[in-house]
Amino acid sequence: MTEPTDDILTRPLGVSEAKAPEQPSGPLGRVLAAARRPKVAAGAIAAGLILSLGLVVALGDPHGGEPHAEALITIREPVARPIAAAPAAEPPVATMSPGPSQLQRSAEEIESASGVTVVRPLGSAPTDAVVIRVPPPSAPRLAPAPDRRISEAGRHGLMPKLGEGQVRALDVYARAEEPGTGPRIAIVITGLGVGQAATAGATARLPATVSLAFLPYGNEVERAVARARDAGHEVFLQLPMEPFDYPDSDPGPQSLLTALKGPENADRLAWALARFPGYVGIVNYMGSKLMADAAFEPVLREIGSRGLGFLDDGTGPKPAAAPANKTRTPIARAELVLDATPRADAIDAALAQAEARAKANGFALVSASGAALTVDRIARWARDLESHGVRLVPASVALRGARDKRVSTAD
C-alpha cells in the first residue's frame, strides 16, 4: 500500500512508520499538521514580511521598531574666564603698538608730572630720536608765563606791560644767576623758532644758563619757547628790523622799516610782542639801518615802557652814535659773535677770546647762531668750563644793572 505524500515528507528521517511520533489529534493537531506543510509555512513567512513592511510605511519608523532615543543638542558660547592679574614684576606685553598720539601724550604727561624734559624736533613722530634731560632737584625753575601782573591784551594778542610797583618782565621771567665767584660769560643763541632741528638741538644740548632768542615766525614758535623755558633757558624775542642792504637782505614779514611812519612801526612791533609770552627782552634780527636811524627811538621807548630790555647781537656795525634813550631802557651789545666765521676752529678761537675778555673785565657778553656746528662747539666747550676758570650766566645779567647806563663792557 502506498503512503500519503504528506506523511512521507513530515516523518523524521531514519524513523520507521511504526516508530513515528503520534500526531496531535483534534483542531490544534490539524492546525499544526497544516503548518508543517512547506507551502503553508512559506505563505505564512511571506505574509509576515508584507505586514512588517506595511507597518514601516504606515508608521514612518526607519528603525523598524528597534528601540531608539532622540536628544536635542544646543551649541552654547564658551564662558569667558576672568584673567588673573599679572605679577607686578612681569607686566603684560601689549599685542598692539600704541599710536603716535598716545606716545606723545604719555611723554608730555611724564614731563609735566616729574619735571623730565623730553625734546624732539617739532612735528616729528614719538619714535624719532629724542634727548631727555632730567634736571637736578636744585635746578632753578623759571616763573610761569604769562604772568597776569605784567600782561595785557593788545590788538594782536597778549603783550607784556610794566606792572604795579615797576615790576618788569625782565626781572620776572629771567633765570636767576647761580651763586659763584670769578669771571662770567653770557651767551645768547639767536635765530631759533623757525628751524625745528636747530631749535630742538639748542634747547637740549646747551647748558640751561645759555639764553635763547626766538624769531616771531613759525607755526610752533610758542610751543618751542615753552619747551625751552621748561628746560631752564631764559628766552628773548627777536625783532625783525631793516638792515643797510634792504631789500637784498629781507628780515621777513612785519619788519620795522625806516620809511614807515611811527604808527605803522608801532603796529608791527605790537604784532611781534604778541607772538609768545615769557621773554625777558628784545634782540635785533638784522636792523643795522633802523638802529642807526631816528625811527628807532620810539621803538626803544616802547620796549622799555613795557618792562623789557634790548640786546644788540653784535652782527651789524656798531652805531656811530648811541640811539636816544630818554626812558632809560636797559641796553647791551654783544662783544663777540662766536660763529662770525662758521668753522670749528674759528668758533673755538672765539670762545677762547671770550674767556680772555671775561678774565680781563669780569664779564663778557657774546652771541651766536643756532647752527648745528655752533651748538656742538659750545656744548663741547661748556663741558670743561670749570677747568677754564670762568662760569656761564644768563644774558639778562647784562641788562639787569642800573637803568641809567649801559651795562655791557662792549659799550
Side-chain angles (χ1 to χ4, degrees):
M1 179 176 173
T2 305
E3 297 182 10
T5 305
D6 293 341
D7 292 337
I8 295 173
L9 293 174
T10 59
R11 182 192 306 159
L13 295 176
V15 179
S16 62
E17 178 183 2
K19 296 181 179 179
E22 296 181 358
Q23 299 294 329
S25 61
L28 179 61
R30 289 193 296 270
V31 171
L32 293 176
R36 290 174 179 174
R37 296 174 183 176
K39 294 181 179 180
V40 175
I45 292 172
L49 291 174
I50 293 172
L51 179 61
S52 298
L53 181 61
L55 289 174
V56 170
V57 173
L59 300 178
D61 185 3
H63 298 284
E66 294 180 0
H68 67 280
E70 294 182 358
L72 180 62
I73 300 176
T74 303
I75 300 176
R76 298 178 180 178
E77 295 293 332
V79 179
R81 297 182 179 180
I83 302 175
E90 298 180 1
V93 179
T95 57
M96 295 180 64
S97 300
S101 61
Q102 293 175 323
L103 289 174
Q104 180 66 26
R105 183 170 60 253
S106 299
E108 291 175 350
E109 290 172 354
I110 293 174
E111 182 176 346
S112 59
S114 63
V116 175
T117 300
V118 181
V119 179
R120 60 172 54 85
L122 300 177
S124 62
T127 54
D128 293 343
V130 299
V131 177
I132 299 177
R133 178 189 295 132
V134 181
S138 59
R141 305 284 294 180
L142 300 185
D147 188 318
R148 293 179 179 272
R149 301 173 302 163
I150 53 174
S151 301
E152 68 177 2
R155 53 186 173 274
H156 296 289
L158 203 64
M159 299 190 300
K161 71 171 184 177
L162 191 64
E164 294 184 8
Q166 302 295 301
V167 177
R168 304 181 300 176
L170 178 57
D171 301 312
V172 174
Y173 297 139
R175 178 186 172 92
E177 180 181 352
E178 297 178 14
T181 59
R184 301 174 298 167
I185 297 178
I187 301 176
V188 59
I189 302 296
T190 62
L192 301 178
V194 290
Q196 297 176 0
T199 301
T203 299
R205 298 196 61 198
L206 294 175
T209 44
V210 174
S211 301
L212 307 180
F214 290 80
L215 289 163
Y217 309 124
N219 296 330
E220 297 288 341
V221 63
E222 186 171 355
R223 185 176 179 182
V225 168
R227 287 188 176 276
R229 297 188 78 251
D230 287 343
H233 299 278
E234 71 175 16
V235 299
F236 286 79
L237 166 66
Q238 276 199 274
L239 185 63
M241 300 186 295
E242 181 182 358
F244 280 114
D245 57 348
Y246 178 83
D248 293 336
S249 296
D250 190 350
Q254 301 291 337
S255 296
L256 278 64
L257 305 174
T258 56
L260 295 179
K261 296 180 179 179
E264 294 178 89
N265 273 336
D267 186 71
R268 295 188 175 197
L269 174 61
W271 175 86
L273 293 176
R275 290 308 89 201
F276 55 83
Y279 50 89
V280 299
I282 305 298
V283 175
N284 64 294
Y285 179 58
M286 301 188 188
S288 56
K289 183 176 181 179
L290 182 73
M291 289 189 291
D293 192 272
F296 185 56
E297 194 279 329
V299 174
L300 192 62
R301 181 173 63 246
E302 179 70 6
I303 291 172
S305 68
R306 294 191 173 277
L308 304 168
F310 181 81
L311 192 153
D312 182 345
D313 67 0
T315 54
K318 186 175 180 179
N325 189 15
K326 298 177 182 179
T327 56
R328 305 300 183 186
T329 300
I331 300 176
R333 177 179 167 85
E335 305 172 41
L336 288 172
V337 179
L338 297 178
D339 55 354
T341 303
R343 295 196 319 269
D345 60 337
I347 296 171
D348 293 343
L351 286 167
Q353 187 178 358
E355 288 183 29
R357 292 198 180 195
K359 292 176 181 178
N361 303 316
F363 176 79
L365 172 63
V366 299
S367 71
S369 74
L373 175 62
T374 303
V375 169
D376 178 69
R377 301 318 299 176
I378 295 175
R380 290 173 181 269
W381 168 79
R383 293 173 189 169
D384 302 322
L385 200 58
E386 292 184 2
S387 64
H388 298 174
V390 296
R391 59 191 181 95
L392 275 173
V393 295
S396 62
V397 168
L399 297 169
R400 297 169 65 196
R403 299 192 188 187
D404 60 347
K405 66 178 181 179
R406 296 168 179 265
V407 294
S408 171
T409 56
D411 301 313

